[in-house]
Amino acid sequence: CASAAAELQQLVRSLGGDPETSSSMAGDLHRRWVDLKSMVTGKDDEAILNECERGEDVALKSYRKALDKDLPADIRVVVQRQFQGVQRNHDQVKALRDAERARS
């Protein structure tokens, strides 16, 4: 995630923009929620993986929204590649969650 953000920030700079350098408020809140939930549930793996998947869902939605825009071709290539990485992350978290459910 950090390298993807850095890559996007560099693209913004190359276009003369001033990229956001801090994580989003929603991302920070989600991380805190996962931390809190893991404390309350006794670090129940399925609950944590559910929250991780929810976070990946938010990321996928953001990338889809970006890909719906009329992006320059070189930018679209980067966003599409990163979207595919987020999709792989999502699928991996979902598989882990499903495996944890099957164990329960």
Side-chain angles (χ1 to χ4, degrees):
C1 294
S3 64
E7 183 177 26
L8 292 174
Q9 289 167 344
Q10 183 55 42
L11 283 173
V12 170
R13 280 188 208 92
S14 73
L15 294 170
D18 186 24
E20 184 176 317
T21 55
S22 64
S23 64
S24 72
M25 176 69 88
D28 286 340
L29 288 173
H30 184 257
R31 281 187 290 281
R32 298 295 81 68
W33 172 246
V34 171
D35 291 344
L36 176 63
K37 192 165 190 171
S38 68
M39 287 183 347
V40 170
T41 63
K43 297 192 179 185
D44 175 80
D45 290 341
E46 184 180 347
I48 293 168
L49 289 166
N50 279 333
E51 287 307 311
C52 290
E53 184 182 6
R54 195 168 66 81
E56 294 299 327
D57 287 341
V58 170
L60 283 171
K61 183 178 177 182
S62 295
Y63 274 93
R64 283 187 185 110
K65 186 175 175 182
L67 288 168
D68 284 344
K69 297 185 185 297
D70 185 25
L71 299 172
D74 57 332
I75 305 296
R76 178 169 291 283
V77 167
V78 172
V79 174
Q80 182 66 44
R81 178 176 41 77
Q82 289 188 6
F83 169 78
Q84 291 168 351
V86 172
Q87 184 68 60
R88 280 190 304 274
N89 292 344
H90 174 274
D91 293 348
Q92 185 176 19
V93 168
K94 184 178 184 302
L96 289 169
R97 194 259 343 257
D98 290 348
E100 185 60 32
R101 276 188 186 161
R103 284 185 29 195
S104 300

